Structure formats: structure tokens, C-alpha cells
């Protein structure tokens, strides 16, 4: 990926972080392919529609768009208020199938950046529990797997944990075979149209606590530059990482209470 115009695929470009990501690259003069479930007026050079729950629709999309891309930014996501299998199919399986399918379509030196979430916290302890999900690319099997899970465990968290684990497992092979880096960005709560769904599924009190602790929720403008950086040649030695973009909310949960200043 030299300087000059990049060719960027943004999935989930219709609203929220995805729309802001597409508009950002378009403003920079890059050739942007904006993909979403519904028609939208996000600024981009090309638009495509795709239902990410439908594996044949993903396969057809990959055939249509052809090779020569620099970056896949997978920003599509549905909140935990959606049906559980849709959450898994869009946030994890669709991402996986598009990422694997894009590898031969990306130029050497290209990158894949997936938007995960700080809701994936604890993914390291969940690797054995998610083995069955990570072993399949069949949507029916994903549905069967979810049917066997504890319904009290938030499926949104499961979907984002699986996304991070998959990205970390894909990264070494993608680098060695294709010269492509794979990383994830995990935002904290962000002011987007689906924030209200997160208040419903996670509890408004939880999100208010986050807001009180770090001062505000993220804006899309806080997240987009990190996606851009990870997709750029400046991040050429960053691979297989999950970058928290949360104002520092998660750090004390992992490292212990903050130092009092």
C-alpha cells in the first residue's frame, strides 16, 4: 500500500461507525466501496447491498467486487436486542466469511480491520467454551451451537469474543501467506444509532457508569482514526492485536484499581 489513493471496502457503511469510516476515506480521496444491508447515501465511490446473514449473498458479493483492494474494514454489527442467531451471523460468521474471502482479493501489504467491542472482555477465559462456534462456518450449525448455550450469557459479548479470537487466529496465516495484517478495534460505548439498543440489552445504569468514569461516551470521530491507522502502512508491524478505544475504562478492570493522583 503505497501513498496515494487506496481502495477500501467498508462493511456496515449505512450508519454509525461504518458510515463515518466510509465518509472519512472518501474525503481522503480513497476509492471506497460502501456495503450495507439497506440502500444509503453514505459518501462513497461504489455501493453494494449484502445481507451478511446469508452466506450465498456474501459469496456472490466477493465474486462481484473482484481483486485489487487495500483494506477491508468490517464495521457491520447488530446489538444484543436482535435475534441471537442474527447477532452471531453478522458480528462473527459474516465477518469471518468476508475476511477469509477477501484475503485473495487484497493486495500484499493490505489489511483487515474488524470492529469488535469492549463487551468481549473476558474472551481469554472463553476460548474452550467457544470452540464449537469457532470450528464451524455453517450458519445452521451456528444456530444449533447457540441453542445449546446459557441464554443468560449475552450473545453480543459471545459474538465479539469470537470475532477477536478468530482475528487473532487468522492474523499469522494471513501475514505469512498473503502479506496481510489482521487486527480488531474494540470501542467502548459510542454515540451511534444503536446506543439505545445497548442501553436496553446491557442496562442503562452500566452505560451511565462508564460515562461517569471516563467523562463521556465515544464519538465516531474517536474510533475512525484508529481504523484508518491500523489499515495504513504506518501500522505495518501491528498484527493480531485488539486495540481498546474506550477512554481507559477497561484498564483498571484488568490491572487493578487506578493509582490515586
Amino acid at each position: 500500500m503505497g501513498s496515494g489513493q487506496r481502495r477500501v471496502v467498508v462493511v456496515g457503511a449505512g450508519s454509525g461507525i461504518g458510515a463515518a469510516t466510509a465518509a472519512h476515506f472518501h474525503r481522503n480521496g480513497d476509492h471506497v466501496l460502501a456495503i450495507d444491508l439497506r440502500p444509503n447515501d453514505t459518501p462513497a465511490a461504489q455501493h453494494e447491498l449484502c445481507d451478511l446473514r446469508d452466506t450465498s449473498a456474501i459469496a456472490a458479493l466477493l465474486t462481484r467486487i473482484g481483486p485489487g483492494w487495500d483494506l477491508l474494514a468490517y464495521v457491520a454489527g447488530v446489538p444484543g436486542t436482535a435475534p441471537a442467531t442474527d447477532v452471531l451471523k453478522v458480528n462473527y460468521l459474516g465477518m469471518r466469511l468476508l475476511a477469509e474471502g477477501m484475503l485473495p482479493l487484497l493486495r500484499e501489504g493490505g489489511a483487515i480491520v474488524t470492529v469488535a467491542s469492549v463487551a468481549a472482555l473476558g474472551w481469554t477465559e472463553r476460548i474452550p467454551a467457544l470452540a464449537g462456534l469457532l470450528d464451524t462456518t455453517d450458519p445452521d450449525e451456528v444456530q444449533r451451537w447457540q441453542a445449546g448455550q446459557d441464554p443468560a450469557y449475552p450473545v453480543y459479548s459471545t459474538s465479539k469474543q469470537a470475532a477477536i479470537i478468530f482475528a487473532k487466529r487468522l492474523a499469522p496465516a494471513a501475514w505469512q501467506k498473503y502479506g496481510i495484517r489482521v487486527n480488531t478495534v474494540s470501542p467502548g460505548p459510542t454515540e451511534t444509532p444503536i446506543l439505545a439498543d445497548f442501553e436496553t440489552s446491557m442496562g442503562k445504569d452500566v452505560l451511565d457508569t462508564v460515562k461517569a468514569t471516563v467523562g463521556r461516551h465515544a464519538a465516531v470521530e474517536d474510533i475512525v482514526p484508529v481504523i484508518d491507522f491500523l489499515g495504513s502502512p504506518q501500522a505495518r508491524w501491528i498484527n493480531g492485536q485488539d486495540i481498546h478505544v474506550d477512554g481507559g475504562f477497561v484498564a483498571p478492570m484488568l490491572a487493578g484499581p487506578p493509582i490515586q493522583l
Side-chain angles (χ1 to χ4, degrees), residues 117-123 186-189 210 213-214 242-258:
S117 170
V118 295
L121 200 62
W123 67 263
S186 283
V210 178
T213 307
V214 292
D242 176 48
I243 310 296
H244 280 181
V245 188
D246 68 343
F249 178 73
V250 165
M253 295 184 190
L254 298 173

Side-chain angles (χ1 to χ4, degrees), residues 215-227:
R216 62 175 176 84
H217 286 326
V220 291
E221 294 79 13
D222 296 315
I223 315 298
V224 171
V226 185
I227 297 172

Side-chain angles (χ1 to χ4, degrees), residues 123-201:
W123 67 263
T124 45
E125 288 81 54
R126 293 262 294 158
I127 294 171
L130 298 180
L133 180 59
L134 286 149
D135 281 346
T136 184
T137 51
D138 177 80
D140 297 335
E141 233 167 275
V142 167
Q143 196 158 354
R144 276 196 296 277
W145 180 87
Q146 176 57 28
Q149 301 308 300
D150 175 1
Y153 194 91
V155 70
Y156 183 80
S157 293
T158 295
S159 71
K160 295 299 191 175
Q161 290 165 348
I164 290 172
I165 296 165
F166 169 74
K168 286 181 177 285
R169 289 180 177 177
L170 183 64
W175 175 251
Q176 287 155 20
K177 185 170 180 183
Y178 294 99
I180 289 162
R181 299 174 300 100
V182 182
N183 294 290
T184 54
V185 173
S186 283
T190 305
E191 299 284 357
T192 68
I194 61 172
L195 186 63
D197 294 289
F198 292 129
E199 289 187 342
T200 304
S201 58

Side-chain angles (χ1 to χ4, degrees), residues 92-137:
Y92 162 64
L93 185 60
M95 178 277 301
R96 174 177 183 163
L97 295 172
L98 255 182
E100 289 178 340
M102 281 290 298
L103 283 174
L105 306 182
L106 286 160
R107 296 178 181 144
E108 190 174 347
I112 294 172
V113 180
T114 289
V115 173
S117 170
V118 295
L121 200 62
W123 67 263
T124 45
E125 288 81 54
R126 293 262 294 158
I127 294 171
L130 298 180
L133 180 59
L134 286 149
D135 281 346
T136 184
T137 51

Side-chain angles (χ1 to χ4, degrees), residues 15-36:
S15 65
I17 298 169
T21 301
H24 165 83
F25 283 114
H26 183 76
R27 260 196 319 275
N28 282 3
D30 294 320
H31 179 99
V32 177
L33 167 56
I35 297 169
D36 202 82

Side-chain angles (χ1 to χ4, degrees), residues 1 61 69 74 128 133 146 150 170 207 210 236-237 253 255-256:
M1 250 193 291
L61 174 76
W69 300 94
Y74 192 97
L133 180 59
Q146 176 57 28
D150 175 1
L170 183 64
L207 295 191
V210 178
R236 63 184 171 269
W237 212 235
M253 295 184 190

